[in-house]
Amino acid sequence: MKQITLNLNKVAGFVSQAQIDAYAPKVQQAQQMLEQGTGLGNDFLGWLHLPSGITQELLAELKEVANTLRENCEVVIVAGIGGSYLGARSVIEALSNSFSASLKDKKDPMIVFAGHNISEDYLFELTSFLKDKRFGVINISKSGTTTETALAFRLLKKQCEDQRGKEMAKKCIVAVTDAKKGAARTTADQEGYKSFVIPDNVGGRFSVLTPVGLLPIAVAGFDIDSFVQGAVEMEKACGADVPFEKNIASQYAAVRNALADEKKTTEILVNFNPKLHYVAEWWKQLYGESEGKENKGIFPAAVDFTTDLHSMGQWIQEGVRNIFETVISVAEVNHKLEVPFDEANLDGLNFLAGKRVDEVNKMAELGTQLAHVDGGVPNIRIVLPKVDEASIGQLFYFFERACGISGYVLGVNPFNQPGVEAYKKNMFALLNKPGYEEDSKAIQSRL
Ligand code: PA5
């Protein structure tokens, strides 16, 4: 399997090798804290050796349940939010044909996401779309009580039962949730749904390699064995026993902290392939929720190039110089398309005739990197061998490991998200949720 690589050449003018290497002791200490479970949030380290612990039995069970959904549903709704949503979406969007929704000879069910917003229009349009469809639902929530997901699931469960009958609904609704706690668990047990467990010690944003990610990915028709294998490779390559200078997770954690020391406090994840848009969304959650606390943390942002070169490109080239870019560069594309020769050459593009479209894209990438470095933006480059299951599995584990290290180096607990509760408390108070009477009174006096 070709491995992802990390290239730090284009940070050289901004931080020295000595500044990066100075992080080696802290990074090694963070690696040990992860490995020995001695750091903050150590009850959420189940992700660390998750890939190598995934059993053939679990993979077989996931594939069997995925096949039941594939056979009985033309549309499968994946209901979830945050860590119970972004991993699956990013893999499915990366691997799917960009026009799969309109392909005529579709063999795979259409995957639709819900439970990640509270938009009445979205839910109205979704439920209308499903009216004449044979659909199923994967209800994903670790707590089993998240409002966005629970609300969407309430609507979808009823519609599925009304349209398809109780027995078929039972076959086509699957829960991925806690082993014992939460409303999603209670509902699954009482209704007799097939269910998968999210391990206690794996937090939402680190859960893509549990059934949270694996089941929807399998339902969409992708190879979960290769995806897991990719992650297993990275688990070895990024382990605490791999020396600092050869360990790409350690290097990435070190360089981003060194850049932050130089007031580069916003990291922009860049892709040159729109299929990776949701990989960046997943990454933003991973780093944002893990590091953004106690008034600390690099702000994670993302752009899709070359599209956003025509919008955000100006800011990146010449705006406030507090940013650095991490570019995910894809070494080999999956398809071949050459620019045709045109006799009239009215568009003046014959200088590209015979070239692969990807060659043009690669030159845009190189030209952008050099321009941005010239403009004062350090560039980190991650080379992904291909957009396929194995490479994405590698990328996810690499980012997770580096995030754990980087969070410990920063001095925060990378595995909690206390700040997420503030909006929920206010929303429940405003909606007069039972148990929030005092908060309701207090918030009303502020309006
Ligand atoms: O990373 C996290 O823990 C969060 O983003 C959760 O995944 C998100 O809030 C959804 O929670 P739950 O799975 O409990 O519905």
Side-chain angles (χ1 to χ4, degrees):
M1 183 184 300
K2 281 194 185 156
Q3 280 202 356
I4 61 171
T5 56
L6 180 73
N7 186 323
L8 302 181
N9 290 345
K10 294 288 186 279
V11 298
F14 305 94
V15 285
S16 66
Q17 192 57 47
Q19 281 172 286
I20 299 171
D21 291 344
Y23 269 99
K26 277 191 185 170
V27 164
Q28 286 307 108
Q29 192 191 12
Q31 283 271 27
Q32 291 306 330
M33 283 158 70
L34 288 173
E35 214 50 66
Q36 290 160 9
T38 52
L40 293 167
N42 54 6
D43 42 350
F44 282 99
L45 291 174
W47 58 273
L48 198 67
H49 294 296
L50 180 66
S52 57
I54 296 173
T55 61
Q56 287 306 318
E57 288 72 31
L58 176 62
L59 290 171
E61 195 185 350
L62 286 161
K63 286 181 229 172
E64 193 187 319
V65 174
N67 278 336
T68 304
L69 290 173
R70 287 169 63 81
E71 280 159 17
N72 291 289
C73 308
E74 56 188 316
V75 181
V76 175
I77 320 303
V78 178
I81 192 167
S84 290
Y85 152 66
L86 287 163
R89 184 158 198 176
S90 60
V91 178
I92 292 169
E93 302 256 338
L95 299 177
S96 296
N97 184 301
S98 307
F99 305 96
S100 56
S102 348
L103 289 180
K104 286 219 169 62
D105 54 346
K106 271 169 59 95
K107 59 180 190 340
D108 301 311
M110 180 181 188
I111 307 293
V112 174
F113 295 90
H116 57 290
N117 61 50
I118 322 179
S119 161
E120 185 161 345
D121 286 345
Y122 185 87
L123 289 167
F124 178 87
E125 287 166 11
L126 173 63
T127 48
S128 304
F129 168 73
L130 293 173
K131 267 187 185 137
D132 56 349
K133 306 282 187 306
R134 292 183 302 118
F135 78 90
V137 188
I138 307 176
N139 185 33
I140 309 177
S141 176
K142 185 169 181 195
S143 62
T145 55
T146 300
T147 311
E148 288 86 341
T149 307
L151 180 57
F153 183 66
R154 177 181 276 226
L155 289 163
L156 293 166
K157 174 179 184 290
K158 181 175 182 328
Q159 187 172 355
C160 192
E161 287 171 353
D162 290 350
Q163 259 173 241
R164 309 200 66 185
K166 265 266 195 214
E167 270 317 295
M168 191 44 110
K170 200 166 132 183
K171 210 171 180 175
C172 296
I173 297 179
V174 180
V176 183
T177 188
D178 186 84
K180 298 196 188 86
K181 298 187 299 283
R185 167 54 57 200
T186 313
T187 310
D189 289 349
Q190 287 198 3
E191 298 284 0
Y193 299 149
K194 173 72 196 167
S195 66
F196 289 93
V197 170
I198 309 174
D200 271 348
N201 60 359
V202 180
R205 58 191 174 275
F206 289 84
S207 70
V208 62
L209 286 141
T210 72
V212 168
L214 296 176
L215 181 63
I217 294 167
V219 173
F222 300 115
D223 179 356
I224 54 173
D225 296 319
S226 298
F227 179 59
V228 168
Q229 203 43 49
V232 171
E233 292 285 320
M234 266 303 118
E235 186 186 323
K236 286 187 214 135
C238 299
D241 55 332
V242 180
F244 177 73
E245 57 286 357
K246 293 203 177 116
N247 189 319
I248 59 172
S250 296
Q251 290 281 316
Y252 178 56
V255 74
R256 57 199 303 283
N257 277 285
L259 285 163
D261 293 339
E262 294 300 315
K263 307 275 181 284
K264 304 291 185 191
T265 52
T266 294
E267 177 175 10
I268 306 176
L269 195 74
V270 176
N271 71 71
F272 281 79
N273 179 337
K275 284 174 185 282
L276 298 179
H277 176 84
Y278 273 95
V279 168
E281 293 300 307
W282 172 86
W283 170 88
K284 270 160 52 179
Q285 189 211 356
L286 181 67
Y287 280 81
E289 275 194 345
S290 300
E291 292 195 328
K293 52 197 72 159
E294 299 173 31
N295 300 328
K296 296 183 193 172
I298 295 170
F299 183 78
V303 288
D304 301 323
F305 285 168
T306 60
T307 313
D308 292 334
L309 284 170
H310 297 257
S311 61
M312 294 303 291
Q314 171 61 37
W315 201 104
I316 293 169
Q317 189 70 44
E318 296 182 348
V320 184
R321 300 298 74 187
N322 62 349
I323 56 173
F324 65 98
E325 288 178 314
T326 297
V327 179
I328 302 179
S329 180
V330 178
E332 194 187 331
V333 293
N334 288 319
H335 302 288
K336 192 173 174 189
L337 186 64
E338 282 180 3
V339 180
F341 177 78
D342 186 298
E343 196 66 52
N345 197 25
L346 295 176
D347 53 12
L349 283 185
N350 271 354
F351 72 103
L352 298 177
K355 287 194 196 302
R356 299 271 300 270
V357 172
D358 190 53
E359 190 182 336
V360 182
N361 201 28
K362 290 272 188 321
M363 291 309 110
E365 182 180 325
L366 185 56
T368 304
Q369 184 193 51
L370 296 172
H372 288 181
V373 168
D374 289 347
V377 182
N379 259 244
I380 297 170
R381 193 159 169 261
I382 295 166
V383 181
L384 196 68
K386 269 185 116 145
V387 178
D388 62 9
E389 287 90 335
S391 295
I392 297 175
Q394 288 186 48
L395 186 69
F396 278 6
Y397 187 85
F398 156 75
F399 275 139
E400 287 180 1
R401 184 98 193 188
C403 183
I405 301 168
S406 189
Y408 278 161
V409 168
L410 191 65
V412 298
N413 175 356
F415 308 115
N416 66 2
Q417 54 284 330
V420 179
E421 297 311 312
Y423 98 90
K424 291 184 193 167
K425 190 171 146 232
N426 287 348
M427 177 176 76
F428 293 146
L430 290 163
L431 288 167
N432 298 315
K433 183 175 175 173
Y436 285 77
E437 291 76 9
E438 287 309 309
D439 294 315
S440 294
K441 270 188 231 150
I443 207 161
Q444 288 302 334
S445 71
R446 289 176 58 193
L447 301 179

